[in-house]
Amino acid sequence: MSTPERFRLEISGAVQGVGFRPHVFRLASEKNLAGWVGNSSAGLTVEIEGPADACADFLHAIRSAPPPNASVHDINVSRCRLEGAAHFVIRASTLEPGDAATEILPDLATCPDCIREIFDPANRRYLYPFTNCTQCGPRFSIIKSLPWDRENTTMRGYAMCAACRSEFDSPGDRRFHAQPNACAECGPTLAFTDEHGSEHAIDEEALERAAAAIEAGQIVAVKGIGGFQLIADARSTAAIATLRERKHRPGKPFALMMPDVETVRYHCELSALEEQLLTSVRAPIVLLQRRSRSTLPAQLAPGNPNLGVMLPCSPLHHLLIRRIGFPVIATSGNISNEPLCIENKEVFDRLAGVADAFLIHDRPIARPVDDSVVRAAADRELVLRLARGYAPISLGGAMPPVLATGGDQKAALAVAGSFGIRCGQHLGELGSEPAQRVFAEQCREFPDLCGVRATAVACDLHPDYHGTRWAEGSDLPMIRVQHHHAHIAACLAEHGITTEVLGVSWDGTGYGEDGTVWGGEFLLATQEEFQRIAHLRTFRLPGGDLAVRQPRYAALGLLEEIGVSVADTPLAVAFTAEELAVARTQIERDIKAPRTSSAGRLFDAVAALLGLRLRNEFEAQAAMDLEFTASIAKGEAKLARMRIGDDGVVDWAPVIRSLLEAIQSGAAVSAIAAEFIVVMSESIVELARRTGKSTIALSGGCFQNVRLLEITVARLRAGGFTPAWPQRLPPNDGGLGLGQAVVAAARLRNQVS
Ligand code: ZN
Ligand code: ZN
Ligand code: FE
């Protein structure tokens, strides 16, 4: 037998609430090691004592096979003095309140073991919709404060029954310290109500009634993990039409929930990566290419070749969807532009006239957490909406305490602290009063939850963003961060890039340092500073916001800028004489006709010139049309290249002139669209060459266009550059908060040092 030794392990990362302690306990017991394991502020501390070879085996096993949902950043191993211990024990939580240096875990989709139990008639959790274990279940949506203990969750009102308590207390049990542990005896219950909240059924009968209502074509509001969803039969054009009308959502695609991977594969193309995303413990909505054989109505996603699909992500969803057996719409439980409903007491008012019936339960939701949206791009995951299963996400090392308030659309907060920088969940548009209330609540609550007392607030340069106003009212020092720099800083932080890069920050709208509307920017940037070295040629947007909603006005501004008469273009028929007169006056007199260098608006304008879309029904619709059309390009079209001047103006004039000629000569619209995207990406490669930076960071909402992203990445690589783009954080304004926090924390840190 080898000589006895004792080791101490400090394990950091997302290691609490994932069954790590029982995992360590089982491993140590198997190898007959003594010692202990406990949560610590850094994560987890383990001490083991026993024969040297058993210790080595243990260390190897911990490193090579941690619990599946844990994310280990680092394991620090040190040798310590023998204590002659005889047993291995799990120590109670040693965390003090406010000592919140550990990760907050996202909600985890139901694990296979729990699914097996809820469909096993012999199991005591048969058909129980709130089943969970250390590998799965709600986390972020129920936590009120750290540490991760039941008392600090919305489960605190439920006392565990004897059977649940015994699981919770047994180190060998897969529900050992599963904080939301519950069963039908002691946990939350389900109820089916009418639209006024009158209860008609509970438990299993409630499920049955909800399933029957959906089968009958009704719209049922279902209280999910982080908020209400509206569920309806995805096969029914009548149900789709009703839901569109009631939700004030004429054209935006609806997300679907499908019973299983086989059903998804029937309706959609599914690559290995996409399948992995779909079936992951994060269980997001994945944008997939629809197959021609799919019989689902086109009205689910009009004019869109993709479907947003997710699988059931909680026992409640598994039970409901298995009963129904067909794909359903599962869209956020709100009216357009309002925040997600999470409270039983308000839902009957807020969703009155939208839902025909309600499937509710009494486990409170701590904060709204919508469904996440991702897609595969350039062989990587591309997160488009960071919410359930993904939020919060933490990056990097210790930072000064900062709160960042993010953007006005796709709002999301971020905080910096001892744990690094943490990005919160998607909060949506802040246009409505209820949304602003939720936003203000989260500004107070999120730093608290993270144990951060902010000494500064970072916000956008835009004076009218709600986050800027909130910061002004906070009495804390403000650090204003330019929009496009924040986009790039977020990308740099995600990839741990600390050198200066060429940042290509392309989006719809962002407040520029000169007070104009930026959006097609080339920045020399670090996480702390930037210099705008080039930008797309500016043009006017007659009507301001009107031109954002109606790409035909962006096209008009584009044409006016280069002196082309709209009468000589296919857009001639798109305006009345009066509309044209008003727009021309706005441009000539400089009233409500802001100048912009926006790449997003340039894409919009081109989509309008190509006749793809004159008016948007939802944000970025025209740009999406351009992408979709390009992806089915037939034939070829020749376009001129951008003219890049020494003044850093990237001039699209030759491109647009040649594009108009191509239309006139009868080239296929799809081929022109495809070539235009190539021209845009070539301008990036050309700027990369001129700048001589090896790393090129691509961010901003335009890079949600997978075609633009993939072509640019490929061409940059071919040119010997290293492209970096957001993958775990959204390239859109959902990543702004994190970027602001990165810039602010870097500046504060450098002030101190
Ligand atoms: Zn489980
Ligand atoms: Zn119980
Ligand atoms: Fe942006």
Side-chain angles (χ1 to χ4, degrees):
M1 192 173 142
S2 58
T3 50
E5 290 198 273
R6 189 176 178 100
F7 292 96
R8 184 182 176 91
L9 287 70
E10 300 286 354
I11 307 175
S12 61
V15 293
Q16 292 183 15
V18 291
F20 214 126
R21 286 180 301 162
H23 174 78
V24 168
F25 178 88
R26 278 190 295 271
L27 210 58
S29 307
E30 260 169 42
K31 308 202 182 306
N32 281 319
L33 293 167
W36 57 270
V37 55
N39 284 336
S40 69
S41 62
L44 219 61
T45 305
V46 185
E47 289 197 12
I48 47 164
E49 180 169 339
D53 48 1
C55 285
D57 284 356
F58 177 92
L59 292 175
H60 175 76
I62 286 284
R63 282 212 173 89
S64 57
N69 297 319
S71 154
V72 175
H73 291 169
D74 195 28
I75 303 182
N76 194 335
V77 181
S78 52
R79 193 169 263 124
C80 43
R81 222 176 18 189
L82 291 173
E83 290 182 9
H87 302 286
F88 195 90
V89 294
I90 297 181
R91 286 194 179 167
S93 191
T94 56
L95 281 182
E96 300 299 321
D99 185 3
T102 51
E103 296 286 331
I104 300 163
L105 275 187
D107 302 304
L108 305 171
T110 315
C111 74
D113 286 338
C114 287
I115 295 175
R116 222 168 287 129
E117 287 187 12
I118 60 172
F119 289 111
D120 173 7
N123 192 280
R124 73 184 193 90
R125 286 196 176 78
Y126 180 53
L127 302 184
Y128 183 59
F130 306 98
T131 301
N132 63 80
C133 71
T134 52
Q135 303 301 313
C136 76
R139 299 285 188 274
F140 185 49
S141 63
I142 62 167
I143 190 170
K144 303 280 250 182
S145 61
L146 281 176
W148 174 240
D149 281 330
R150 190 180 182 95
E151 274 304 291
N152 297 330
T153 71
T154 62
M155 283 297 290
R156 66 173 298 167
Y158 298 91
M160 274 183 267
C161 68
C164 286
R165 168 58 66 183
S166 130
E167 294 164 342
F168 188 88
D169 288 337
S170 311
D173 196 280
R174 66 185 194 84
R175 295 200 166 88
F176 176 70
H177 285 199
Q179 302 300 340
N181 189 26
C183 73
E185 242 350 83
C186 64
T189 51
L190 208 56
F192 178 78
T193 82
D194 64 17
E195 73 266 43
H196 308 295
S198 302
E199 203 166 288
H200 288 280
I202 60 162
D203 298 339
E204 208 189 320
E205 202 199 329
L207 262 177
E208 229 153 71
R209 295 283 297 271
I214 295 163
E215 277 162 5
Q218 297 198 325
I219 295 162
V220 179
V222 175
K223 188 175 182 182
I225 295 177
F228 278 86
Q229 291 165 320
L230 293 164
I231 300 210
D233 185 347
R235 306 165 309 174
S236 160
T237 49
I240 297 168
T242 308
L243 187 54
R244 289 210 175 278
E245 194 191 307
R246 292 186 188 169
K247 228 191 142 183
H248 309 305
R249 184 163 156 147
K252 199 172 175 188
F254 282 131
L256 305 178
M257 187 176 277
M258 295 196 184
D260 46 44
V261 177
E262 288 63 46
T263 310
V264 178
R265 210 188 296 282
Y266 181 82
H267 293 285
C268 303
E269 302 287 345
L270 196 60
S271 70
L273 172 59
E274 287 162 342
E275 179 170 351
Q276 190 193 321
L277 299 173
L278 190 73
T279 57
S280 83
V281 72
R282 302 171 184 276
I285 297 167
V286 186
L287 300 189
L288 300 170
Q289 198 190 333
R290 182 196 171 109
R291 297 180 76 156
S292 52
R293 71 179 176 196
S294 168
T295 47
L296 291 170
Q299 291 93 320
L300 288 169
N304 191 317
N306 300 326
L307 287 174
V309 184
M310 67 183 138
L311 292 175
C313 54
S314 78
L316 175 57
H317 290 99
H318 280 284
L319 292 166
L320 187 65
I321 303 303
R322 194 173 285 197
R323 218 164 271 238
I324 294 171
F326 54 77
V328 294
I329 296 170
T331 184
S332 310
N334 59 358
I335 313 247
S336 288
N337 295 329
E338 287 202 356
L340 189 62
C341 275
I342 61 169
E343 302 244 21
N344 291 354
K345 62 180 194 297
E346 59 166 28
V347 73
F348 301 108
D349 280 338
R350 289 198 35 212
L351 294 183
V354 180
D356 299 303
F358 292 79
L359 185 62
I360 62 169
H361 60 73
D362 51 7
R363 184 175 75 200
I365 296 173
R367 61 189 57 76
V369 188
D370 219 323
D371 294 314
S372 292
V373 182
V374 308
R375 70 191 293 187
D379 297 323
R380 299 292 169 136
E381 179 174 29
L382 176 64
V383 172
L384 301 176
R385 185 203 283 164
L386 185 103
R388 177 181 52 75
Y390 287 79
I393 178 178
S394 301
L395 300 171
M399 288 285 181
V402 176
L403 167 67
T405 57
D408 237 21
Q409 296 185 314
K410 301 185 175 66
L413 304 176
V415 291
S418 56
F419 43 79
I421 297 180
R422 186 171 287 160
C423 184
Q425 82 279 26
H426 167 85
L427 297 172
E429 318 300 312
L430 300 184
S432 72
E433 196 270 330
Q436 288 156 27
R437 217 168 339 134
V438 169
F439 175 75
E441 238 166 62
Q442 292 297 306
C443 282
R444 270 178 275 114
E445 192 198 86
F446 190 52
D448 265 6
L449 178 63
C450 300
V452 166
R453 190 177 292 263
T455 55
V457 194
C459 63
D460 197 88
L461 272 186
H462 201 304
D464 295 329
Y465 270 15
H466 292 93
T468 309
R469 298 243 180 88
W470 190 91
E472 279 165 350
S474 73
D475 291 336
L476 288 168
M478 287 169 70
I479 301 175
R480 295 175 202 256
V481 179
Q482 202 279 323
H483 191 105
H484 301 94
H485 182 213
H487 275 309
I488 297 302
C491 177
L492 298 185
E494 177 181 341
H495 294 284
I497 298 168
T498 50
T499 53
E500 188 175 71
V501 303
L502 172 64
V504 181
S505 202
W506 282 7
D507 63 4
T509 300
Y511 198 84
E513 281 190 317
D514 54 5
T516 70
V517 184
W518 290 10
E521 312 311 309
F522 296 87
L523 315 175
L524 275 187
T526 63
Q527 293 190 16
E528 190 180 349
E529 301 295 343
F530 80 99
Q531 187 196 342
R532 186 195 200 203
I533 54 159
H535 59 85
L536 291 173
R537 177 173 177 180
T538 61
F539 60 101
R540 287 187 183 277
L541 294 176
D545 281 346
L546 181 68
V548 178
R549 292 193 304 274
Q550 300 195 9
R552 61 186 181 136
Y553 282 104
L556 186 62
L558 198 75
L559 296 174
E560 292 282 330
E561 173 71 17
I562 54 174
V564 173
S565 167
V566 69
D568 301 335
T569 74
L571 269 188
V573 294
F575 297 93
T576 65
E578 197 190 337
E579 284 171 337
L580 272 184
V582 170
R584 288 230 173 84
T585 310
Q586 286 170 332
I587 290 173
E588 278 159 21
R589 301 204 188 144
D590 195 12
I591 321 163
K592 266 187 86 177
R595 277 203 164 269
T596 185
S597 54
S598 165
R601 295 294 93 80
L602 181 57
F603 275 113
D604 278 2
V606 167
L609 288 175
L610 291 176
L612 295 171
R613 186 164 301 276
L614 302 176
R615 296 173 179 81
N616 278 339
E617 287 170 308
F618 56 91
E619 191 221 343
Q621 191 180 16
M624 283 165 66
D625 288 338
L626 188 84
E627 176 186 353
F628 299 150
T629 305
S631 67
I632 50 161
K634 293 208 174 58
E636 278 187 20
K638 283 213 162 51
L639 294 180
R641 269 33 195 171
M642 299 274 193
R643 191 165 47 213
I644 303 175
D646 295 333
D647 54 356
V649 174
V650 180
D651 187 0
W652 37 260
V655 186
I656 296 302
R657 285 182 202 281
S658 68
L659 184 137
L660 291 169
E661 281 162 21
I663 296 172
Q664 215 150 40
S665 70
V669 163
S670 60
I672 301 174
E675 185 63 8
F676 179 71
I677 292 175
V678 169
V679 169
M680 290 293 271
S681 56
E682 279 189 359
S683 74
I684 293 174
V685 180
E686 181 54 30
L687 252 300
R689 270 195 207 104
R690 293 189 187 200
T691 315
K693 293 287 164 194
S694 59
T695 302
I696 316 298
L698 311 168
S699 192
C702 290
F703 292 100
Q704 294 174 106
N705 178 333
V706 168
R707 201 174 170 84
L708 174 70
L709 177 67
E710 289 181 342
I711 291 174
T712 308
V713 164
R715 286 177 184 238
L716 283 171
R717 282 182 179 149
F721 301 98
T722 307
W725 68 95
Q727 294 164 21
R728 296 192 292 150
L729 287 162
N732 57 48
D733 285 5
L736 273 187
L738 186 120
Q740 293 163 0
V742 168
V743 175
R747 288 186 190 160
L748 287 174
R749 201 179 36 193
N750 288 351
Q751 267 171 24
V752 173
S753 61

